[in-house]
Each structure stands twice: as structure tokens, then as C-alpha cells.
Amino acid sequence: MQPLVDTWGREIKSVRVSVTDKCNFRCRYCMPAEGLEWLGRDEILSFEELTRVVRVLAAMGVSEIRLTGGEPLVRRDLPVLGRMLAETPGVEDLALTTNGVLLDRLAEPLVAAGLRRLNVSLDSLSHVRFAEITRRDALDRVLAGLAEAERYPELRPIKVNCVAVRGFTETEVPALAELARRKPYVVRFIEFMPLDADQAWREDEVLTGAEIRALIEERWPLVEVPAKASSTARRFRFADGAGEIGFVNPVSEPFCSSCDRIRLTADGQLRTCLFSRKEWDLKTVLRSGASDEELATFVRFAISHKELKHRINEPGFVRASRSMSQIGG
Ligand code: SAM
């Protein structure tokens, strides 16, 4: 089948599949303390529906699947879905983004199902600061989850993602950099984006990758290493050899020109950009008895409308139609 190429010539290779909008954390930069309404059971795509969408996408060359949410590990029987997706023809890479709190129980069945790459979100190694940002006292469980994941050599790389918020993250940087030196984890700092449900984001709260790099280099010089063209991160190793650090700089150094991603929300809406204002209702097409060919045609039409870029830095920027936990980060 023809590959999926948008009107700007970008080939779509990767899909982020949100399996639930529910989350057991309430990170300040993502969710409100309370009050976000969950989707109803029937609104969420079933494992069969998700696998069918992935099969249609994979036939068009979308070979990288990343499970996300909400918190994907709260979706019941996630390893069953993992296996269904890993066994889908054309799927070459199954990855997961998680807060890690249920990983100590789920790492083993997920690896057995075919999970090969893991991102764990972790914003602080201090119990007090962790609870402050996530509104949950769960640091030890996240670290236990990471330790469990580390036991499976098939599961590499293990990345630790920290959202960098000015006024919070500066003090956390040394311990997180030290984690990258001491553990087989690639620690990555991600710039705070205007996707928080509270709509409190301000540009001056974005702690840039360059600023964090300078903080780290006060103590440990870094050397840039080449990244894949489609990579969202700039990669660095410590000059003295131990460990890797990454910077995902969507605000200060947008990487839209090499974007090869689309997203599927838990309620079956296709999004062609994290910042889309428009969603494509794949669920309705799926549930109306469409053939695989009809699904593929619908997807191609949506991709032909993929945005050139997000416009965070431009005057008149309008926020996405939903917040991060509802989209699937
Ligand atoms: N619950 C999972 C987790 O914590 O990784 C998966 C979903 S979460 C929405 C995916 C990623 O988005 C996490 O790394 C999270 O820190 C990040 N994120 C959430 N809100 C963000 C924001 N406003 N700016 C940048 N990253 C954000």
C-alpha cells in the first residue's frame, strides 16, 4: 500500500495510541486537582477496535506504536492489547509512556507481550517535590517500577522524562542528571507546553533545554551525539563517558518539520498534531461498518490536512481543543 505522506512531504511512521483518559496522578502541568470528567466506557475504543486501526495504519507504513494515556497502565489487561498490537503485521516497535506507578506489577507481562521501549515520567527525586508536582506521594513506587523494568534487557532504552517548569525544575536537575550517570536510563527534559488543563501555562514558565543544559554543564560537560532525523530530542552524553541526557525543546526549538507522528485519542479521534484544533472522528467511521479500505481512505484524508507546525511562539496562538491527558501525550 502507498505510504502515508502529508501535503508537506512528511511520511507518517509513528502513532501514539491513548488507551484511556483516566490517570492516577494529577500533575500540575497536565491535569486539574479534581473535576476532569472521564469518558464513558462505550466511548473508549475496545482492544479489537484499536488493533484494527493499528493494522490499517501499519499497512500504510506506520510501524512505531506508542501506548499512552491518561495513564495507560490503569487500562485493564493492557498486556493483552500489547500482544495483539505487537503481533500485528507491520508493527516493528511497541513502546509505552507511563508514570510508572503500576510498573512493578506490569513490566514482566508487558515485556512478554512484546513491549520493547519504555518512557517513565519522573519530575523529581525528592519525595516532597515529587508529591508537590504530581499531587501524589508515589515516588518510591515509581522507582520500584523503574527497577523492575531494568531487569528486562529486551526493554531498552528506558527513558525518564521530566517536564521542565521554571521555578520548579532547576533544583531537581542535579539529582536527575546524576540518575542518568548512575542508572541505565536516558534522562530527558521536556519543555512545558500549553497543554495543561488549568490553562495556567505562561511562556515565562518554560525552562528551556538550553538553560538546563547550562545548569548540568556547570558540573558535568556534555557532548552532543547524533539523533535520528525524526527524533524529538537532542541527545548528549557526559564527556567523561557515563550516561545520556536528552532535551525535547518543542517551544524553543520546534521540530515540526521532521514530525512523523499522529495521535489516536482514547475515544477514537485521530489528531494530526498535538496542538490540533480539529479531530477526525475515526470511531464513528469504525463503528459504522466501514471496510479497511474506507478506514485507510479516511486516514489519508485526515493526514492530508496535517498542520505544517504548531504556532506556540506566534501571536494569536490558540490552545489545542483538549488538554494533554485527554489527548494522550
Ligand atoms: N501518564 C503517562 C505518563 O505520565 O507518562 C502518559 C501520559 S502523559 C500525558 C505523557 C507525557 O506528557 C508525560 O511525560 C507528561 O509529563 C507529559 N506532559 C503532560 N503535560 C505536559 C505539558 N503541559 N507540557 C509538557 N509535557 C507534558
Side-chain angles (χ1 to χ4, degrees), residues 157-322:
I158 296 175
K159 294 179 185 166
V160 167
N161 288 339
C162 166
V163 177
V165 183
R166 188 179 306 284
F168 181 89
T169 306
E170 294 90 331
T171 49
E172 315 310 304
V173 169
L176 287 163
E178 207 265 326
L179 183 75
R181 294 171 60 79
R182 155 166 79 80
K183 288 284 195 180
Y185 312 150
V186 177
V187 173
R188 307 191 315 166
F189 295 93
I190 303 176
E191 289 175 350
F192 180 28
M193 292 178 275
L195 290 163
D196 53 319
D198 287 336
Q199 307 210 356
W201 181 91
R202 288 197 329 255
E203 201 174 342
D204 60 6
E205 287 185 316
V206 180
L207 182 64
T208 66
E211 290 173 283
I212 297 182
R213 185 178 154 196
L215 285 176
I216 296 174
E217 289 203 309
E218 283 173 11
R219 189 148 158 210
W220 296 295
L222 298 171
V223 179
E224 187 149 17
V225 292
K228 274 202 315 189
S230 62
S231 171
T232 55
R234 285 180 64 184
R235 300 172 57 197
F236 292 81
R237 66 174 173 78
F238 290 96
D240 63 5
E244 185 179 322
I245 293 276
F247 299 100
V248 182
N249 302 337
V251 183
S252 67
E253 294 179 63
F255 34 81
C256 307
S257 62
S258 59
C259 180
D260 67 351
R261 285 170 297 283
I262 51 174
R263 288 182 153 79
L264 184 67
T265 66
D267 56 347
Q269 305 298 304
L270 190 68
R271 295 178 65 94
T272 50
C273 173
L274 194 44
F275 292 92
S276 290
R277 304 267 314 150
K278 170 159 183 54
E279 301 186 333
W280 299 86
D281 188 358
L282 200 57
K283 180 176 67 182
T284 297
V285 182
L286 200 60
R287 293 186 179 174
S288 67
S291 65
D292 284 2
E293 287 68 33
E294 285 165 333
L295 278 176
T297 302
F298 183 80
V299 169
R300 275 189 202 286
F301 187 70
I303 300 314
S304 75
H305 290 79
K306 183 169 164 66
E307 298 79 347
L308 174 62
K309 56 179 182 172
H310 70 61
R311 296 180 188 274
I312 299 176
N313 300 312
E314 293 178 16
F317 165 75
V318 186
R319 293 177 57 109
S321 49
R322 299 203 240 185

Side-chain angles (χ1 to χ4, degrees), residues 29-30 68-71 97-99 121 163 191-193 196 324 329:
Y29 49 74
C30 188
T68 183
E71 171 46 41
T97 298
T98 172
N99 64 28
S121 304
V163 177
E191 289 175 350
F192 180 28
M193 292 178 275
D196 53 319
M324 189 67 135

Side-chain angles (χ1 to χ4, degrees), residues 71-144:
E71 171 46 41
L73 300 188
V74 306
R75 176 88 187 241
R76 191 179 294 181
D77 296 328
L78 190 71
V80 173
L81 175 67
R83 184 175 298 279
M84 291 163 75
L85 298 182
E87 289 176 349
T88 299
V91 171
E92 290 166 10
D93 190 19
L94 184 64
L96 172 74
T97 298
T98 172
N99 64 28
V101 79
L102 298 172
L103 201 55
D104 54 346
R105 275 182 271 154
L106 284 164
E108 183 183 18
L110 282 167
V111 172
L115 185 71
R116 289 298 168 262
R117 292 193 298 135
L118 178 69
N119 288 5
V120 176
S121 304
L122 177 57
D123 299 313
S124 172
L125 288 169
S126 139
H127 288 86
V128 173
R129 302 283 278 162
F130 180 96
E132 199 180 306
I133 196 100
T134 63
R135 301 184 175 113
R136 296 291 183 270
D137 179 13
L139 174 61
D140 288 339
R141 291 193 60 192
V142 174
L143 293 175

